[in-house]
Amino acid sequence: MERVDRCVVLVDAGYLLGAAASLLAGEPARSRITVDHAALIQGLRELAEGDTERPLLRIYWFDGAPDRVPQPEHRRLRVMPRVTVRLGALTRSDGRWAQKGVDAAMHAELTELARNRACSDVVLVTGDGDLLPGLMSAKEHGVAVHLWAVQAADGDYNQSEDLVAEADERRVLDRAWITRAVRAKEIGGICAPPPVPRPEIAAILSAPLPEAALAAAAQERAARSVNSNGERPAPEPTGADAPAPAAKGVPTPKDLAGLRAPGPPQSAQPLAGATLRWSSDKGWIDRPGAGALGEPPETASLPTLAQLTSAEQRWADREEDITTVGGDPFEVGQVFARRWMARLPESGHVQKLATLYPRIPHRIDGELLRYAARFGLLAHKDDQIDEHDRYAIRAGFWREIDVRTAADHVPAAD
């Protein structure tokens, strides 16, 4: 059987993106980088065809996924021309995530391609020495093996020495090449312009965090334990005459439930001055009038995106997520807010939400973060979205709300 003069690229995505993260962000966590997969695939194709002087047959993208279920990036990749996605398992061991079956799948594909004379040149983007037997087998079948490495952050090798020694041709993908399609996220986690500043945010940023609030309350109690004459005050009343405890720096809904005016329990009402302090991204914000239930009545009337989305729209959303949404945290928040606002039955809901800034109601916020998790933002770390990514997701959400509310207030032309 005559060999076909064309090239194939086998990519170990864990190696490629992990090494890129180490180079650009200082650590191998893929959550620290954003990837333009279309640009990356195009760059791999052009470089492979240039190095081998052969037309491309196919790019195989090997990656891990929980339960081998394709993630959004995998679904985007597998609909690209000349790209085939092969998934291994992603398992958790000793608190860390590890790929299982990826090396075996690459080995099997490499030997099968060589045995069937499907190509004349194979490009391997990997660093794992477990592929050495497959590489040697491909060479024995007359295939030229090109081994590509990602520039190491410390200037040393990040590939198996045996793998490097056995390869026919070698290349290093340097920082300049990598940054055409991969970039590090900013320290603040927001990979897009921050939302328009709003005046009330200053009070939130200057408010004490829970630990600081508790420490301040403890110091205040200690200072009150000795009066100006150096004497300790009389013991506080106990039993039914005792006031509600004030040990906590921030009242909880349960605390507020005890702050009631005198009277029978059935008729007791929360004190007029009772205030609940909602937790927000950067501190605490007062929400007067929330009462013991802890949730403003206007929040309960806000529908979730799931309640507003029909089956047809759900399919259209899925297609958009696969083909056009890149997965940047800020962008994800924008897309979610745009869909939510577009499907609201009345515009007054947007105005209600704007009054709650910067707090997103629990139901909508939870739905937003679950949506973001579809784009691989779990970062394979304790199954939670990175703290900085959460800031960026919510910032993108509020940016869209700001744009909508600003547009609604633009005066009509005469």
Side-chain angles (χ1 to χ4, degrees):
M1 182 170 57
E2 185 178 354
R3 184 177 307 282
V4 180
D5 287 336
R6 52 192 179 188
C7 68
V8 171
V9 181
L10 305 183
V11 179
D12 179 349
Y15 165 77
L16 173 60
L17 300 182
S22 294
L23 178 64
L24 302 181
E27 59 180 283
R30 288 163 62 171
S31 61
R32 294 295 309 277
I33 57 175
T34 57
V35 183
D36 182 341
H37 289 91
L40 182 58
I41 293 298
Q42 183 62 29
L44 289 170
R45 177 172 186 167
E46 292 174 355
L47 196 58
E49 291 181 335
D51 274 13
T52 65
E53 299 181 349
R54 301 286 189 270
L56 177 75
L57 170 64
R58 190 173 297 116
I59 295 176
Y60 289 90
W61 185 272
F62 296 87
D63 203 1
D67 299 322
R68 290 187 167 88
V69 176
Q71 300 299 296
E73 66 179 279
H74 302 138
R75 295 199 294 269
R76 287 192 292 273
L77 282 163
R78 66 185 184 182
V79 297
M80 293 180 184
R82 303 282 178 147
V83 176
T84 295
V85 175
R86 296 281 188 261
L87 294 179
L90 194 63
T91 59
R92 195 172 182 82
S93 177
D94 297 328
R96 301 182 64 181
W97 289 92
Q99 295 182 158
K100 298 293 183 182
V102 171
D103 296 335
M106 290 188 71
H107 179 277
E109 198 71 58
L110 176 58
T111 54
E112 193 71 11
L113 288 166
R115 185 182 300 115
N116 291 331
R117 298 178 176 270
C119 59
S120 59
D121 297 74
V122 169
V123 174
L124 290 178
V125 186
T126 185
D128 199 326
D130 290 345
L131 275 179
L132 182 61
L135 185 153
M136 297 176 68
S137 175
K139 289 173 63 178
E140 290 171 0
H141 283 88
V143 173
V145 179
H146 304 250
L147 182 65
W148 291 359
V150 176
Q151 179 182 339
D154 57 5
D156 202 354
Y157 283 117
N158 53 12
Q159 288 178 309
S160 161
E161 184 177 342
D162 292 334
L163 210 60
V164 172
E166 283 292 334
D168 294 307
E169 303 286 346
R170 290 176 290 276
R171 168 183 282 277
V172 175
L173 304 176
D174 60 17
R175 180 186 293 267
W177 189 92
I178 291 292
T179 51
R180 295 177 187 175
V182 183
R183 61 191 177 94
K185 294 180 181 178
E186 296 180 7
I187 295 177
I190 298 178
C191 305
V196 176
R198 301 177 65 151
E200 60 269 38
I201 196 66
I204 300 167
L205 296 178
S206 62
L209 292 174
E211 295 80 2
L214 293 174
Q219 292 176 356
E220 183 179 354
R221 291 195 303 275
R224 289 201 306 265
S225 64
V226 178
N227 60 24
S228 58
N229 295 325
E231 301 175 350
R232 295 189 177 275
E236 295 182 354
T238 59
D241 297 331
K248 297 180 180 179
V250 178
T252 67
K254 183 177 179 181
D255 298 330
L256 293 178
L259 296 175
R260 296 180 179 274
Q266 294 81 1
S267 61
Q269 299 294 326
L271 294 177
T275 299
L276 180 64
R277 305 187 77 197
W278 296 104
S279 61
S280 66
D281 283 345
K282 295 291 188 180
W284 299 88
I285 180 168
D286 292 339
R287 287 295 177 196
L293 296 179
E295 189 79 4
E298 63 269 20
T299 298
S301 66
L302 295 175
T304 63
L305 180 60
Q307 293 171 334
L308 299 170
T309 303
S310 66
E312 292 79 8
Q313 289 171 325
R314 193 169 291 111
W315 276 101
D317 291 347
R318 177 178 176 274
E319 188 69 20
E320 182 184 9
D321 290 342
I322 293 173
T323 58
T324 62
V325 181
D328 176 90
F330 192 91
E331 178 192 12
V332 167
Q334 289 179 301
V335 171
F336 183 94
R338 195 177 306 130
R339 290 175 184 169
W340 184 77
M341 289 186 293
R343 295 167 192 172
L344 286 173
E346 53 183 89
S347 59
H349 285 307
V350 177
Q351 301 301 327
K352 288 181 180 179
L353 180 67
T355 63
L356 299 176
Y357 180 87
R359 177 184 172 272
I360 303 174
H362 292 299
R363 292 178 302 123
I364 297 176
D365 188 55
E367 189 181 37
L368 169 62
L369 296 180
R370 287 192 298 273
Y371 171 68
R374 301 178 193 172
F375 294 89
L377 293 175
L378 289 180
H380 305 154
K381 179 182 179 183
D382 302 326
D383 295 332
Q384 293 182 359
I385 296 176
D386 179 78
E387 179 183 20
H388 297 304
D389 284 347
R390 291 201 304 271
Y391 296 159
I393 291 164
R394 289 163 176 154
F397 179 90
W398 281 115
R399 165 63 68 84
E400 287 300 305
I401 300 297
D402 280 342
V403 171
R404 171 67 177 269
T405 53
D408 289 345
H409 287 88
V410 173
D414 294 334

